[in-house]
Amino acid sequence: QKEVEQNSGPLSVPEGAIASLNCTYSDRGSQSFFWYRQYSGKSPELIMFIYSNGDKEDGRFTAQLNKASQYVSLLIRDSQPSDSATYLCAALNRDDKIIFGKGTRLHILP
Amino acid sequence: DTGVSQNPRHKITKRGQNVTFRCDPISEHNRLYWYRQTLGQGPEFLTYFQNEAQLEKSRLLSDRFSAERPKGSFSTLEIQRTEQGDSAMYLCASSLGPGENTGELFFGEGSRLTVL
């Protein structure tokens, strides 16, 4: 079992709709979680991080964390074509390393 | 400071040759990570440093791979006797750390390796 798992997609969402991206992790010692966006041919860039159970909102983005279920999600409201990218979930595990999932490709349909 | 810098951006080499990549992190960042990424996959952890100390090297990494961070500034990743399976994008990232912001990684543009 990989430490951080994501559905690779592609996930297709109409423009203006809500995109929901999910991630699970296996290391219960992980305390911090991160969502990175990676455009094709580019390096990942951090868009959200969350440490506490519950929701964290930043503009059109909401990160959700449920430590009991070992589940992290990212919601993107009012999806735009520029949101089309691969979204990488990452966890800071008990060994203090940042471990990435394989990413979910998101395609926003104009 | 303009961010994390990696050199070279592209490297084409023949199987069996040695290659070295360099990473210059953001100057005040203590943590430096090396990842490898292939098409359709997320970044795969290779190794990381806290200042000049190498904290861990991935168990998946063969002895052909070595990394250094002398004086806790820039880092080098060397691959000896390259194999075709080493072809990938090698990403360097840095962060303030340890602490809460350890995971807020700033990535360089990567060094793409092609082994013929």
Side-chain angles (χ1 to χ4, degrees):
Chain A
Q1 180 187 14
K2 288 192 174 289
E3 280 197 53
V4 178
E5 298 216 47
Q6 298 179 254
N7 187 322
S8 60
L11 175 66
S12 295
V13 173
E15 183 176 356
I18 296 175
S20 178
L21 303 160
N22 305 313
C23 168
T24 58
Y25 60 95
S26 61
D27 182 0
R28 283 196 173 274
S30 298
Q31 292 296 315
S32 307
F33 304 89
F34 308 85
W35 284 99
Y36 285 79
R37 178 176 60 201
Q38 187 173 26
Y39 292 115
S40 180
K42 301 294 186 182
S43 293
E45 56 179 341
L46 180 68
I47 54 172
M48 287 284 293
F49 59 87
I50 187 165
Y51 307 129
S52 303
N53 272 331
D55 295 0
K56 179 181 178 183
E57 188 173 318
D58 184 2
R60 296 186 297 111
F61 299 95
T62 298
Q64 300 174 316
L65 173 60
N66 183 327
K67 291 185 178 180
S69 301
Q70 296 176 243
Y71 179 87
V72 191
S73 66
L74 179 70
L75 301 178
I76 306 174
R77 289 181 299 280
D78 188 23
S79 297
Q80 303 296 309
S82 60
D83 294 326
S84 296
T86 295
Y87 289 80
L88 299 163
C89 176
L92 177 62
N93 72 4
R94 69 177 70 211
D95 296 325
D96 209 26
K97 293 185 302 189
I98 310 298
I99 303 299
F100 285 84
K102 65 188 301 183
T104 298
R105 284 180 293 136
L106 175 65
H107 182 48
I108 305 301
L109 304 169
Chain B
D1 194 356
T2 56
V4 179
S5 176
Q6 292 188 245
N7 289 287
R9 295 288 312 281
H10 303 275
K11 179 70 176 178
I12 300 173
T13 191
K14 292 183 178 179
R15 187 178 55 186
Q17 299 295 305
N18 300 343
V19 296
T20 300
F21 300 116
R22 175 177 169 128
C23 173
D24 288 89
I26 294 172
S27 58
E28 62 268 27
H29 283 183
N30 301 315
R31 281 280 171 97
L32 186 148
Y33 291 79
W34 284 99
Y35 290 91
R36 175 172 62 190
Q37 188 173 30
T38 54
L39 194 63
Q41 300 297 313
E44 175 193 9
F45 171 81
L46 295 180
T47 189
Y48 72 135
F49 294 83
Q50 174 72 28
N51 298 315
E52 68 274 11
Q54 186 173 20
L55 299 182
E56 186 173 335
K57 178 179 171 182
S58 170
R59 292 187 300 273
L60 301 176
L61 220 55
S62 78
D63 292 340
R64 298 184 297 106
F65 287 74
S66 62
E68 294 182 336
R69 192 183 182 195
K71 303 178 182 178
S73 55
F74 72 91
S75 176
T76 57
L77 175 69
E78 181 182 19
I79 309 173
Q80 296 182 326
R81 305 181 302 282
T82 52
E83 301 173 356
Q84 289 183 325
D86 297 332
S87 296
M89 178 71 83
Y90 289 84
L91 294 168
C92 175
S94 68
S95 74
L96 292 167
E100 279 190 345
N101 47 19
T102 295
E104 298 174 43
L105 300 180
F106 293 81
F107 282 86
E109 294 187 354
S111 292
R112 181 169 295 283
L113 174 64
T114 300
V115 181
L116 302 177

